[in-house]
Amino acid sequence: MIRNSKNEDVEAIMSLINQAQAYFKENNIDQWQDGYPDDKQIEDDIKRKCSYVLDNDKIIGTMYFAIEDDENYASINGQWLTYNESYAVIHRIVVDNSYKGQGLAKQLLDYVINECQNKNIHSIRIDTHQDNLSMQRFLTKNGFILCGDITLKSGDPRIAFEKILNK
């Protein structure tokens, strides 16, 4: 079941984040190696009702999902597929290491697609580190198109993707 995260989920969400940080470090991916995201970030996401968990009697996945203009996406070295229309963003999508390969990230993505279609939103944007090849494979396999490079407000470079949903 995918649901909005609650304050009591922060520890479980951070455990997933810590797994991802360790995975990135082991694979020499310079993503999330600076203390981001931390529990304060997750608590803020929960307050804003943008944090979601995949809960199967245990929290085994999480993501940030919102329909909002992301300031990090205002400038792109490349070209978005859409302009001047509302879009959804996904950030911090993580699945528990022991459950990888079971299609759980796809379940999270399908939830976002369904919510977008219900709200008449036809575009989803997401970014990742250039060395995060597993995320890039997941995105392209699921219909996301590489649109170009962005720079996060932290100064970190990322590659940005967009997926157009059927109207």
Side-chain angles (χ1 to χ4, degrees), residues 32-72:
W32 295 1
Q33 297 302 301
D34 58 358
Y36 170 90
D38 60 13
D39 51 356
K40 184 178 175 336
Q41 177 70 61
I42 302 306
E43 289 165 2
D44 186 52
D45 294 349
I46 291 170
K47 241 182 249 152
R48 296 179 56 225
K49 299 199 179 315
C50 298
S51 177
Y52 293 81
V53 290
L54 176 55
D55 187 348
N56 290 358
D57 297 323
K58 172 187 174 189
I59 292 174
I60 56 175
T62 186
M63 70 178 164
Y64 174 97
F65 157 57
I67 296 166
E68 64 185 9
D69 284 338
D70 187 316
E71 64 183 330
N72 290 301

Side-chain angles (χ1 to χ4, degrees), residues 4 14 23 33 41 51 59 62 70 74 101 105 112 139 143 149 165:
N4 278 98
M14 285 309 300
Y23 169 83
Q33 297 302 301
Q41 177 70 61
S51 177
I59 292 174
T62 186
D70 187 316
V112 169
L139 294 172
D149 301 311
L165 304 177

Side-chain angles (χ1 to χ4, degrees), residues 21-164:
Q21 288 168 327
Y23 169 83
F24 293 150
K25 187 172 188 165
E26 286 168 26
N27 290 280
N28 296 315
I29 300 169
D30 187 21
Q31 184 173 349
W32 295 1
Q33 297 302 301
D34 58 358
Y36 170 90
D38 60 13
D39 51 356
K40 184 178 175 336
Q41 177 70 61
I42 302 306
E43 289 165 2
D44 186 52
D45 294 349
I46 291 170
K47 241 182 249 152
R48 296 179 56 225
K49 299 199 179 315
C50 298
S51 177
Y52 293 81
V53 290
L54 176 55
D55 187 348
N56 290 358
D57 297 323
K58 172 187 174 189
I59 292 174
I60 56 175
T62 186
M63 70 178 164
Y64 174 97
F65 157 57
I67 296 166
E68 64 185 9
D69 284 338
D70 187 316
E71 64 183 330
N72 290 301
Y73 295 167
S75 176
I76 185 168
N77 180 10
Q79 186 171 350
W80 291 113
L81 303 176
T82 60
Y83 282 97
N84 299 323
E85 57 180 272
S86 296
Y87 59 88
V89 295
I90 302 173
H91 296 302
R92 299 185 283 287
I93 186 167
V94 183
V95 171
D96 187 306
N97 287 344
S98 358
Y99 294 86
K100 288 197 178 198
Q102 296 182 24
L104 300 180
K106 176 82 165 81
Q107 283 183 36
L108 291 164
L109 176 60
D110 287 345
Y111 177 87
V112 169
I113 290 170
N114 187 55
E115 288 295 305
C116 286
Q117 289 171 329
N118 288 341
K119 293 175 170 65
N120 210 26
I121 301 296
H122 305 291
S123 165
I124 303 169
R125 295 180 182 178
I126 190 168
D127 64 86
T128 191
H129 192 280
Q130 67 184 18
D131 294 335
N132 191 343
L133 301 180
S134 59
M135 178 56 80
Q136 291 174 49
R137 281 191 298 274
F138 170 76
L139 294 172
T140 53
K141 178 181 170 187
N142 286 286
F144 282 82
I145 306 295
L146 176 61
C147 293
D149 301 311
I150 63 161
T151 303
L152 303 178
K153 58 184 178 178
S154 67
D156 293 332
R158 293 289 183 265
I159 53 176
F161 294 79
E162 186 172 16
K163 177 181 176 75
I164 303 295

